[in-house]
């Protein structure tokens, strides 16, 4: 499954299913189908994503042992995955435009 987030205020953001499901869950939206994020809900969505990103960063940093490079977390962080959507939300909020998505 692929999520395509759209807004008149920004270019499209595309996420694969598991990543889209995670991000939508973090902002309190149902997964697996189309949805909408209204401008009045965007500050709470950004705050929720920022809190989750900070928590993920802390977990990843705690897992790193400077003496053992093998402990470095693999994969892409939540910060990297969510950044395009966070930027889209900020632009959409500034333009007072909703964000819609479909799966």
């Amino acid at each position: 499954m692929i999520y395509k987030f759209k807004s008149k205020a920004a270019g499209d953001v595309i996420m694969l299913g598991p990543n889209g499901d995670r991000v939508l869950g973090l902002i309190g939206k149902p997964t697996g189908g189309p949805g909408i994020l209204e401008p009045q809900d965007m500050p709470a969505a950004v705050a929720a994503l920022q809190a989750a990103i900070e928590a993920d960063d802390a977990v990843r940093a705690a897992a790193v042992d400077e003496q053992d490079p093998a402990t470095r977390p693999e994969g892409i962080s939540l910060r990297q995955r969510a950044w395009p959507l966070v930027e889209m939300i900020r632009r959409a909020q500034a333009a007072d435009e909703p964000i819609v998505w479909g799966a």
Side-chain angles (χ1 to χ4, degrees):
M1 175 186 335
I2 295 178
Y3 287 97
K4 188 171 187 177
F5 297 90
K6 295 181 169 202
S7 176
K8 291 180 182 178
D12 296 351
V13 172
I14 298 172
M15 287 188 184
L16 295 176
N19 301 320
D21 288 344
R22 182 175 182 197
V23 169
L24 288 174
L26 290 170
I27 63 173
K29 295 293 184 177
T31 61
I36 187 167
L37 182 61
E38 296 287 351
Q40 66 266 18
D41 299 329
M42 292 177 184
V46 169
L49 287 172
Q50 290 289 25
I53 287 167
E54 289 171 13
D56 183 66
D57 287 348
V59 168
R60 293 173 73 83
V64 175
D65 178 357
E66 296 298 327
Q67 302 300 320
D68 184 6
T71 63
R72 182 171 305 237
E74 291 186 20
I76 298 173
S77 69
L78 179 59
R79 178 177 298 280
Q80 293 168 306
R81 295 226 186 257
W83 180 82
L85 186 60
V86 170
E87 286 300 308
M88 174 186 250
I89 294 170
R90 288 182 176 146
R91 290 179 185 179
Q93 182 181 4
D96 199 36
E97 291 288 339
I99 297 173
V100 297
W101 60 87

